């Protein structure tokens, strides 16, 4: 497995990957698609992606990706928008490797805080456990944010 910034040749694989993510709603998939397009087509948007790949001969196989951007009106805070891993590649450390690479990139560029927003839906239980394992701290909760009984959870991590 290796990681690198997203390039236009990754677009089709990333869009196909999103279709295989069972706990994303259609609206979430659309937002994720929009951010991929912005990262590739509109660098001024500030959205960026890292991809995790395996090589199969001359072909690169996308295992997952991470999308992020600097939080508007901050000097060193970044929003982590998505970590998406192919369901067939889970439990291989892909998300962890993407997060480690992202944190290293932030250290190199002066980033200090990572902020994540996520849902309390049962299908996001693994996501919540991942952030806790990776050292993210709770930063806030807004009840019924997404819909009735689906709260917004905010986590953050100081990158040193």
């Amino acid at each position: 497995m290796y990681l690198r910034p997203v390039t236009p040749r990754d677009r089709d694989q990333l869009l196909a990957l999103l279709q295989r993510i069972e706990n994303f709603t259609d609206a979430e998939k659309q937002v994720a698609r929009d951010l991929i397009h912005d990262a590739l087509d509109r660098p001024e948007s500030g959205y960026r992606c890292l991809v995790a790949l395996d090589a199969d001969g001359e072909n690169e196989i996308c295992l997952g990706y991470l999308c992020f951007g600097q939080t508007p009106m901050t000097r060193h805070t970044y929003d982590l928008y998505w970590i998406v891993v192919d369901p067939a590649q889970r439990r291989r450390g892909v998300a962890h490797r993407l997060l480690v690479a992202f944190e290293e990139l932030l250290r190199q560029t002066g980033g200090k805080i990572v902020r994540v927003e996520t849902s309390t839906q049962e299908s996001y239980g693994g996501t919540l456990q991942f952030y806790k394992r990776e050292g993210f701290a709770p930063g806030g909760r807004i009840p019924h944010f997404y819909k009735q009984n689906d709260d917004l959870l905010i986590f953050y991590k100081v990158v040193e």
Side-chain angles (χ1 to χ4, degrees):
M1 175 183 346
Y2 59 98
L3 292 91
R4 63 165 169 71
V6 68
T7 66
R9 70 178 181 258
D10 302 317
R11 187 187 316 259
D12 290 344
Q13 282 197 69
L14 293 177
L15 298 177
L17 168 60
L18 286 173
Q19 292 308 116
R20 294 191 299 276
I21 306 301
E22 63 280 350
N23 65 322
F24 284 3
T25 66
D26 288 342
E28 289 170 324
K29 290 175 184 179
Q30 185 58 55
V31 170
R33 282 191 294 272
D34 290 347
L35 295 184
I36 289 168
H37 292 308
D38 283 349
L40 289 168
D41 302 332
R42 297 183 41 235
E44 72 279 5
S45 71
Y47 297 113
R48 297 169 62 191
C49 297
L50 297 173
V51 292
L53 303 154
D54 262 347
D56 177 18
E58 294 183 16
N59 298 317
E60 292 179 319
I61 300 166
C62 180
L63 307 176
Y65 79 99
L66 180 149
C67 182
F68 67 98
Q70 187 167 2
T71 308
M73 299 183 290
T74 69
R75 290 189 183 193
H76 56 244
T77 302
Y78 285 76
D79 286 309
L80 172 53
Y81 296 110
W82 304 99
I83 298 179
V84 178
V85 176
D86 188 313
Q89 302 300 326
R90 291 187 183 146
R91 308 261 187 255
R92 287 189 52 198
V94 175
H96 172 75
R97 294 266 311 268
L98 284 163
L99 185 60
V100 167
F102 169 53
E103 291 175 3
E104 183 56 32
L105 179 65
L106 293 188
R107 282 185 202 93
Q108 293 171 7
T109 59
K112 298 195 182 309
I113 298 172
V114 177
R115 183 176 69 114
V116 175
E117 295 181 355
T118 192
S119 165
T120 58
Q121 288 184 78
E122 188 175 323
S123 63
Y124 279 78
T127 301
L128 300 176
Q129 292 306 311
F130 171 78
Y131 289 128
K132 290 175 184 176
R133 268 194 322 272
E134 294 293 338
F136 282 79
R141 181 182 199 126
I142 301 175
H144 314 293
F145 183 83
Y146 295 106
K147 62 184 177 189
Q148 188 67 29
N149 299 318
D150 186 6
D151 302 354
L152 166 71
L153 295 179
I154 302 166
F155 291 94
Y156 73 96
K157 184 175 185 178
V158 177
V159 177
E160 300 181 277

